Amino acid sequence: MADLYAVDVSLNLAATVPDAVLSELRRHLGHEGGEGLADESDDHPVWAARGPARRIGGVLVGELIRTDPGWALTVRQEVHAESMPQIDALIEMLAFHSATEGVIGQIRFYEDEIPDLLLSRSGELVRASLTRLPETKV
């Protein structure tokens, strides 16, 4: 059994996001030249994987694109439990600069069926645990 999490983040960042935050994000996405804010103890990029996912299905992606009102970010990654403190800090930083209000992503232990939702509430990250709903056939 692996200690993997499925991390999905999709949000828009404000045009006013500081260059240091963008550099840190680019570094974690595996883009060349990302200097970042990280100290030496957590220097590995956590969203740089690309290609087929091993455990969660689908494809691992990480894209940051400049838009007229700011930046658009989409990430889907398999993340080891040891990296979750880094992931939490990164998502909290992104929520602070988010131009998206409400749901900005989800995190799920890869063996679980129901994820925790990630919400941006006035720049603050809120994690909402969902409960198991009764199954109905459609």
Side-chain angles (χ1 to χ4, degrees):
M1 178 166 79
D3 292 336
L4 291 177
Y5 288 83
V7 177
D8 297 279
V9 176
S10 186
L11 57 87
N12 293 325
L13 294 168
T16 57
V17 65
D19 288 341
V21 171
L22 289 172
S23 183
E24 178 72 355
L25 181 53
R26 285 184 184 110
R27 185 180 71 77
H28 280 293
L29 291 169
H31 297 175
E32 297 276 335
E35 306 283 316
L37 300 171
D39 61 31
E40 293 176 16
S41 65
D42 61 358
D43 61 354
H44 71 282
V46 293
W47 288 342
R50 301 294 184 271
R54 291 182 179 169
R55 300 283 187 167
I56 65 173
V59 178
L60 304 177
V61 299
E63 289 290 332
L64 178 67
I65 297 174
R66 183 77 164 120
T67 64
D68 287 337
W71 298 88
L73 172 69
T74 297
V75 172
R76 183 167 193 275
Q77 295 285 307
E78 287 179 328
V79 178
H80 195 273
E82 292 173 350
S83 296
M84 287 309 295
Q86 252 182 297
I87 296 294
D88 291 338
L90 183 57
I91 295 172
E92 188 172 333
M93 178 179 67
L94 294 173
F96 183 78
H97 296 286
S98 177
T100 302
E101 191 70 15
V103 177
I104 61 170
Q106 63 184 17
I107 293 178
R108 175 181 60 84
F109 182 68
Y110 90 101
E111 290 181 338
D112 291 345
E113 293 180 345
I114 299 175
D116 288 348
L117 292 182
L118 304 171
L119 302 112
S120 175
R121 297 273 191 241
S122 300
E124 189 172 321
L125 179 63
V126 176
R127 194 166 173 163
S129 293
L130 301 176
T131 58
R132 185 170 188 78
L133 301 173
E135 292 184 18
T136 58
K137 292 188 179 190
V138 180

